[in-house]
Amino acid sequence: MRSLIDIYRHEGKLPDCRMSLCKGFTQGGSNADVVLADSYLKNITDGVDWVTGYEAVVSDAEDEPLNWAVEGRGGLTSWKSLGYIPADDFDPYGVGPFTRSISRTVEYAYDDFCIAEIARGLGNTADYEKYITRSANWKNLYKSDQTSLLNGTDTGFVGYLQPRYLNGTFGFQDPAFCSPLLNFTSCYLNPDGHETYEGSSWLYTFFVPQDQAALIVTLGGPQQFVNRLDYLHESGLLYIGDEQGFLLVYQYHYAGRPAKSAQRAHFYVPSQFNETIAGIPGNDDSGAMGSFVAFTMMGIFPNPGQNVYFITPPFFPSVSITNGMTGNTATIRNVNFDPSYQNIYIQSATLNNETYTKNWLTHDFFLNGGELVLILGANESSWGIAAGDLPPSISQTNSTGQVGNSGDGLEEKRWMFEGSFMPPKVMI
């Protein structure tokens, strides 16, 4: 964190792709914002100047650099006025590849959500409201009547992110384009690139980490959401060897189906991640593939930029992690562990000897230590499926399936720091 903030202090912008002390090409959003928010929420404070850190992420959101191909964001005038990046954007304020309007839009939205998290922790209510509002801009590229065909056959799912022009009308990019099933290698940083980056609209339509509850309603409700996720995983549309595919393994948690996340995890490890020569399905990208395996096998995959870890059973009888800051040890222990991996579904759980039904953890567990005990079985159970047990979203759904206040106060509580964990003190 200190190094990232120092780069901003000396060079004027946070890096997005830093290689050999040089600026690399920005692939999507200003995603150092996500890294800073993640660290802020998880109490990384030692020598970190969070005043300058917050100044840096706000600079990403508000000030367009002359060359946004290597830092910051482009198209900020359109982003602020239209709420999306147009496919035909006019941007006289900086230079960069005028492509990836879909993936840039959803990444900018998530970046702004991450800035809102820091703003809230610092007590900056006005900024929080501004950036939390911008974080909903993903909806502005959602075309509710867009269908998807594979080899001429309708997939049966309707509604995808699509490119949109300055005048507000929609363009078209086949939702399967840039997936393994259609022109897989057509969406890179080349000048004639398209509206998504290294992935399809099928994939990017799911990228709303900040508000999965709203996305689930938008896509037709929990069961339809699960059906669509299943289709993505099973049809060949998803390539797990790129980072964009990782979170999709665990998004079942938001629909009240954490067992399906465990099932997917046990499919990809070891079918795609294993000890053979071909055991890494894609570019390791400075440890991305290894990190996916490590978190998956420990059963604590994080949602980056949030104080959220999805719970699935570890691939071992138990896992213990000692925190380098506090010296405390957090242990996750499987009961009925089966080395043949038939018992991969959580039946019940206790946290420090008390019943625990949430299907996610906060970083507080790793700071304070403790023991999470998971009782396993061979069949999906009712553990972790209730509305109050799901990971947080900006909006929550009520009993009618509409996005809004459910009346139980979860909207507020889920974004507050839990237990003894508090936001870090700002260094002046």
Side-chain angles (χ1 to χ4, degrees):
M1 289 307 101
R2 294 191 295 265
S3 294
L4 287 175
I5 294 170
D6 274 348
I7 291 170
Y8 165 77
R9 184 180 289 113
H10 292 289
E11 298 197 9
K13 282 291 180 184
L14 291 167
D16 188 67
C17 178
R18 193 79 174 176
M19 296 183 293
S20 301
L21 305 179
C22 298
K23 299 174 183 178
F25 289 111
T26 297
Q27 298 177 344
S30 53
N31 293 327
D33 306 339
V34 180
V35 179
L36 264 68
D38 194 270
S39 299
Y40 179 82
L41 293 172
K42 293 171 182 175
N43 210 26
I44 305 300
T45 60
D46 186 15
V48 179
D49 178 0
W50 280 111
V51 170
T52 304
Y54 185 65
E55 177 185 301
V57 296
V58 169
S59 173
D60 280 342
E62 301 296 338
D63 305 320
E64 181 171 325
L66 293 176
N67 182 8
W68 49 266
V70 296
E71 60 190 359
R73 308 185 200 175
L76 282 180
T77 298
S78 293
W79 178 248
K80 296 174 188 178
S81 62
L82 299 175
Y84 60 92
I85 299 298
D88 60 342
D89 196 22
F90 174 72
D91 183 3
Y93 306 105
V95 296
F98 287 95
T99 56
R100 302 158 292 130
S101 65
I102 292 175
S103 50
R104 285 167 61 202
T105 291
V106 296
E107 290 194 30
Y108 289 8
Y110 190 58
D111 294 335
D112 281 346
F113 165 79
C114 290
I115 297 171
E117 291 182 295
I118 304 176
R120 181 169 181 170
L122 296 177
N124 192 329
T125 303
D127 276 7
Y128 171 79
E129 294 294 342
K130 175 169 66 172
Y131 293 120
I132 211 71
T133 298
R134 285 191 197 174
S135 75
N137 282 352
W138 62 273
K139 299 176 184 177
N140 295 328
L141 293 190
Y142 180 74
K143 192 169 186 290
S144 61
D145 62 352
Q146 181 61 57
T147 58
S148 174
L149 305 179
L150 291 181
N151 298 319
T153 301
D154 195 330
T155 62
F157 299 99
V158 181
Y160 298 88
L161 299 182
Q162 287 291 287
R164 196 172 184 181
Y165 300 120
L166 281 163
N167 65 7
T169 61
F170 280 99
F172 174 73
Q173 179 172 303
D174 190 313
F177 191 75
C178 294
S179 76
L181 301 182
L182 183 63
N183 295 84
F184 185 34
T185 59
S186 297
C187 292
Y188 292 102
L189 286 175
N190 46 303
D192 60 345
H194 298 275
E195 304 312 319
T196 51
Y197 182 73
E198 292 188 5
S200 66
S201 175
W202 253 96
L203 181 152
Y204 279 104
T205 296
F206 281 100
F207 189 75
V208 190
Q210 68 274 30
D211 204 351
Q212 288 286 287
L215 179 65
I216 287 171
V217 171
T218 299
L219 297 183
Q223 188 55 57
Q224 189 71 350
F225 180 83
V226 168
N227 292 344
R228 190 185 285 221
L229 261 182
D230 283 346
Y231 193 92
L232 178 64
H233 283 284
E234 296 168 5
S235 62
L237 283 163
L238 180 63
Y239 172 52
I240 198 66
D242 211 340
E243 289 88 334
Q244 296 97 319
F246 293 171
L247 187 61
L248 289 156
V249 175
Y250 294 94
Q251 285 175 240
Y252 293 101
H253 273 62
Y254 290 95
R257 299 291 299 277
K260 298 272 302 183
S261 298
Q263 184 183 45
R264 295 293 174 204
H266 277 275
F267 169 75
Y268 289 115
V269 181
S271 70
Q272 303 297 308
F273 298 87
N274 52 62
E275 72 279 9
T276 68
I277 294 175
I280 299 178
N283 184 350
D284 195 39
D285 269 355
S286 301
M289 300 295 137
S291 297
F292 174 80
V293 171
F295 282 118
T296 293
M297 296 188 75
M298 287 190 292
I300 48 168
F301 197 84
N303 193 347
Q306 299 182 35
N307 190 16
V308 170
Y309 296 83
F310 306 111
I311 301 172
T312 52
F315 283 52
F316 312 98
S318 67
V319 172
S320 293
I321 301 170
T322 299
N323 189 285
M325 292 172 57
T326 66
N328 296 323
T329 298
T331 296
I332 304 173
R333 181 165 60 88
N334 286 325
V335 175
N336 301 327
F337 174 75
D338 171 19
S340 67
Y341 299 119
Q342 299 302 307
N343 294 342
I344 61 170
Y345 304 113
I346 298 171
Q347 308 298 300
S348 63
T350 60
L351 178 61
N352 298 329
N353 297 315
E354 295 185 3
T355 298
Y356 192 78
T357 59
K358 290 182 179 180
N359 63 31
W360 58 289
L361 290 165
T362 70
H363 197 65
D364 189 54
F365 176 61
F366 302 104
L367 288 175
N368 293 339
E371 184 179 50
L372 177 67
V373 177
L374 307 176
I375 310 300
L376 307 186
N379 298 300
E380 186 172 0
S381 75
S382 60
W383 178 85
I385 69 172
D389 297 330
L390 309 184
S393 287
I394 296 170
S395 57
Q396 305 296 333
T397 55
N398 58 31
S399 59
T400 65
Q402 300 299 310
V403 175
N405 194 320
S406 63
D408 59 6
L410 288 172
E411 295 72 38
E412 182 71 13
K413 288 190 293 184
R414 286 178 174 183
W415 290 116
M416 294 177 67
F417 303 101
E418 298 195 347
S420 62
F421 180 61
M422 295 296 293
K425 294 180 180 178
V426 177
M427 296 183 61
I428 304 297

mmCIF file of all heavy atoms in Angstrom, residues 55-75:
data_model
loop_
_atom_site.group_PDB
_atom_site.id
_atom_site.type_symbol
_atom_site.label_atom_id
_atom_site.label_comp_id
_atom_site.label_asym_id
_atom_site.label_seq_id
_atom_site.Cartn_x
_atom_site.Cartn_y
_atom_site.Cartn_z
ATOM 1 N N GLU A 55 -7.018 10.521 -1.549
ATOM 2 C CA GLU A 55 -6.814 11.525 -2.603
ATOM 3 C C GLU A 55 -6.491 10.834 -3.935
ATOM 4 O O GLU A 55 -6.956 11.260 -5.000
ATOM 5 C CB GLU A 55 -5.672 12.453 -2.191
ATOM 6 C CG GLU A 55 -5.288 13.514 -3.202
ATOM 7 C CD GLU A 55 -4.076 14.299 -2.743
ATOM 8 O OE1 GLU A 55 -4.146 14.906 -1.649
ATOM 9 O OE2 GLU A 55 -3.056 14.300 -3.459
ATOM 10 N N ALA A 56 -5.733 9.758 -3.874
ATOM 11 C CA ALA A 56 -5.328 9.046 -5.088
ATOM 12 C C ALA A 56 -6.509 8.372 -5.785
ATOM 13 O O ALA A 56 -6.654 8.456 -7.013
ATOM 14 C CB ALA A 56 -4.257 8.005 -4.740
ATOM 15 N N VAL A 57 -7.373 7.711 -5.014
ATOM 16 C CA VAL A 57 -8.496 7.027 -5.656
ATOM 17 C C VAL A 57 -9.517 8.034 -6.181
ATOM 18 O O VAL A 57 -10.143 7.811 -7.228
ATOM 19 C CB VAL A 57 -9.161 5.996 -4.713
ATOM 20 C CG1 VAL A 57 -8.180 4.884 -4.363
ATOM 21 C CG2 VAL A 57 -9.728 6.641 -3.449
ATOM 22 N N VAL A 58 -9.683 9.150 -5.487
ATOM 23 C CA VAL A 58 -10.583 10.194 -5.986
ATOM 24 C C VAL A 58 -10.030 10.786 -7.283
ATOM 25 O O VAL A 58 -10.788 11.102 -8.213
ATOM 26 C CB VAL A 58 -10.792 11.283 -4.918
ATOM 27 C CG1 VAL A 58 -11.493 12.510 -5.509
ATOM 28 C CG2 VAL A 58 -11.608 10.725 -3.758
ATOM 29 N N SER A 59 -8.722 10.918 -7.368
ATOM 30 C CA SER A 59 -8.115 11.386 -8.615
ATOM 31 C C SER A 59 -8.463 10.457 -9.775
ATOM 32 O O SER A 59 -8.748 10.911 -10.886
ATOM 33 C CB SER A 59 -6.592 11.481 -8.450
ATOM 34 O OG SER A 59 -5.965 11.784 -9.684
ATOM 35 N N ASP A 60 -8.448 9.155 -9.519
ATOM 36 C CA ASP A 60 -8.842 8.201 -10.570
ATOM 37 C C ASP A 60 -10.275 8.451 -11.027
ATOM 38 O O ASP A 60 -10.585 8.371 -12.222
ATOM 39 C CB ASP A 60 -8.714 6.766 -10.057
ATOM 40 C CG ASP A 60 -7.290 6.251 -10.086
ATOM 41 O OD1 ASP A 60 -6.453 6.831 -10.802
ATOM 42 O OD2 ASP A 60 -7.019 5.258 -9.383
ATOM 43 N N ALA A 61 -11.144 8.744 -10.091
ATOM 44 C CA ALA A 61 -12.565 8.898 -10.406
ATOM 45 C C ALA A 61 -12.897 10.237 -11.049
ATOM 46 O O ALA A 61 -13.899 10.340 -11.770
ATOM 47 C CB ALA A 61 -13.393 8.720 -9.134
ATOM 48 N N GLU A 62 -12.072 11.255 -10.793
ATOM 49 C CA GLU A 62 -12.462 12.615 -11.193
ATOM 50 C C GLU A 62 -11.563 13.260 -12.238
ATOM 51 O O GLU A 62 -12.024 14.119 -12.998
ATOM 52 C CB GLU A 62 -12.486 13.516 -9.946
ATOM 53 C CG GLU A 62 -13.439 13.054 -8.856
ATOM 54 C CD GLU A 62 -14.897 13.074 -9.291
ATOM 55 O OE1 GLU A 62 -15.238 13.816 -10.240
ATOM 56 O OE2 GLU A 62 -15.704 12.337 -8.680
ATOM 57 N N ASP A 63 -10.296 12.891 -12.296
ATOM 58 C CA ASP A 63 -9.328 13.606 -13.140
ATOM 59 C C ASP A 63 -8.773 12.691 -14.224
ATOM 60 O O ASP A 63 -8.032 11.747 -13.929
ATOM 61 C CB ASP A 63 -8.182 14.141 -12.279
ATOM 62 C CG ASP A 63 -8.682 15.017 -11.135
ATOM 63 O OD1 ASP A 63 -9.628 15.797 -11.367
ATOM 64 O OD2 ASP A 63 -8.133 14.905 -10.018
ATOM 65 N N GLU A 64 -9.125 12.978 -15.457
ATOM 66 C CA GLU A 64 -8.662 12.148 -16.568
ATOM 67 C C GLU A 64 -7.231 12.511 -16.942
ATOM 68 O O GLU A 64 -6.927 13.683 -17.183
ATOM 69 C CB GLU A 64 -9.572 12.331 -17.774
ATOM 70 C CG GLU A 64 -9.168 11.482 -18.962
ATOM 71 C CD GLU A 64 -10.213 11.503 -20.068
ATOM 72 O OE1 GLU A 64 -11.426 11.558 -19.758
ATOM 73 O OE2 GLU A 64 -9.809 11.459 -21.249
ATOM 74 N N PRO A 65 -6.329 11.537 -17.015
ATOM 75 C CA PRO A 65 -4.953 11.832 -17.420
ATOM 76 C C PRO A 65 -4.847 12.028 -18.924
ATOM 77 O O PRO A 65 -5.743 11.628 -19.678
ATOM 78 C CB PRO A 65 -4.187 10.580 -16.968
ATOM 79 C CG PRO A 65 -5.204 9.485 -17.067
ATOM 80 C CD PRO A 65 -6.523 10.108 -16.690
ATOM 81 N N LEU A 66 -3.755 12.624 -19.357
ATOM 82 C CA LEU A 66 -3.559 12.835 -20.791
ATOM 83 C C LEU A 66 -3.439 11.513 -21.540
ATOM 84 O O LEU A 66 -3.886 11.406 -22.684
ATOM 85 C CB LEU A 66 -2.300 13.691 -21.018
ATOM 86 C CG LEU A 66 -2.383 15.147 -20.529
ATOM 87 C CD1 LEU A 66 -1.043 15.851 -20.736
ATOM 88 C CD2 LEU A 66 -3.495 15.891 -21.250
ATOM 89 N N ASN A 67 -2.837 10.507 -20.892
ATOM 90 C CA ASN A 67 -2.693 9.187 -21.525
ATOM 91 C C ASN A 67 -3.327 8.140 -20.628
ATOM 92 O O ASN A 67 -2.668 7.567 -19.773
ATOM 93 C CB ASN A 67 -1.220 8.868 -21.779
ATOM 94 C CG ASN A 67 -1.039 7.521 -22.491
ATOM 95 O OD1 ASN A 67 -2.007 6.898 -22.915
ATOM 96 N ND2 ASN A 67 0.195 7.089 -22.626
ATOM 97 N N TRP A 68 -4.634 7.913 -20.816
ATOM 98 C CA TRP A 68 -5.323 6.943 -19.971
ATOM 99 C C TRP A 68 -5.154 5.507 -20.460
ATOM 100 O O TRP A 68 -5.755 4.590 -19.909
ATOM 101 C CB TRP A 68 -6.798 7.296 -19.823
ATOM 102 C CG TRP A 68 -7.555 7.612 -21.075
ATOM 103 C CD1 TRP A 68 -7.766 8.841 -21.619
ATOM 104 C CD2 TRP A 68 -8.243 6.675 -21.921
ATOM 105 N NE1 TRP A 68 -8.543 8.749 -22.757
ATOM 106 C CE2 TRP A 68 -8.844 7.421 -22.958
ATOM 107 C CE3 TRP A 68 -8.403 5.286 -21.908
ATOM 108 C CZ2 TRP A 68 -9.587 6.826 -23.984
ATOM 109 C CZ3 TRP A 68 -9.144 4.697 -22.918
ATOM 110 C CH2 TRP A 68 -9.719 5.453 -23.943
ATOM 111 N N ALA A 69 -4.268 5.318 -21.420
ATOM 112 C CA ALA A 69 -3.922 3.955 -21.833
ATOM 113 C C ALA A 69 -3.028 3.281 -20.801
ATOM 114 O O ALA A 69 -2.932 2.051 -20.770
ATOM 115 C CB ALA A 69 -3.231 3.962 -23.186
ATOM 116 N N VAL A 70 -2.377 4.078 -19.942
ATOM 117 C CA VAL A 70 -1.419 3.499 -18.996
ATOM 118 C C VAL A 70 -1.734 3.827 -17.540
ATOM 119 O O VAL A 70 -1.061 3.311 -16.641
ATOM 120 C CB VAL A 70 0.023 3.958 -19.322
ATOM 121 C CG1 VAL A 70 0.460 3.443 -20.683
ATOM 122 C CG2 VAL A 70 0.136 5.487 -19.258
ATOM 123 N N GLU A 71 -2.738 4.670 -17.276
ATOM 124 C CA GLU A 71 -3.085 5.006 -15.897
ATOM 125 C C GLU A 71 -4.443 5.697 -15.873
ATOM 126 O O GLU A 71 -4.904 6.238 -16.882
ATOM 127 C CB GLU A 71 -2.025 5.928 -15.284
ATOM 128 C CG GLU A 71 -1.860 7.242 -16.035
ATOM 129 C CD GLU A 71 -0.656 8.041 -15.576
ATOM 130 O OE1 GLU A 71 0.053 7.578 -14.660
ATOM 131 O OE2 GLU A 71 -0.414 9.120 -16.154
ATOM 132 N N GLY A 72 -5.094 5.639 -14.734
ATOM 133 C CA GLY A 72 -6.361 6.338 -14.576
ATOM 134 C C GLY A 72 -7.472 5.795 -15.456
ATOM 135 O O GLY A 72 -7.468 4.627 -15.855
ATOM 136 N N ARG A 73 -8.416 6.681 -15.778
ATOM 137 C CA ARG A 73 -9.577 6.305 -16.591
ATOM 138 C C ARG A 73 -9.752 7.293 -17.738
ATOM 139 O O ARG A 73 -9.452 8.473 -17.606
ATOM 140 C CB ARG A 73 -10.864 6.318 -15.763
ATOM 141 C CG ARG A 73 -10.845 5.536 -14.483
ATOM 142 C CD ARG A 73 -12.234 5.566 -13.848
ATOM 143 N NE ARG A 73 -12.201 5.258 -12.425
ATOM 144 C CZ ARG A 73 -13.259 5.314 -11.624
ATOM 145 N NH1 ARG A 73 -14.442 5.658 -12.112
ATOM 146 N NH2 ARG A 73 -13.150 5.029 -10.331
ATOM 147 N N GLY A 74 -10.302 6.805 -18.834
ATOM 148 C CA GLY A 74 -10.678 7.664 -19.943
ATOM 149 C C GLY A 74 -12.186 7.815 -20.015
ATOM 150 O O GLY A 74 -12.940 7.092 -19.372
ATOM 151 N N GLY A 75 -12.623 8.781 -20.801
ATOM 152 C CA GLY A 75 -14.051 8.962 -20.997
ATOM 153 C C GLY A 75 -14.788 9.473 -19.781
ATOM 154 O O GLY A 75 -15.995 9.247 -19.652
#
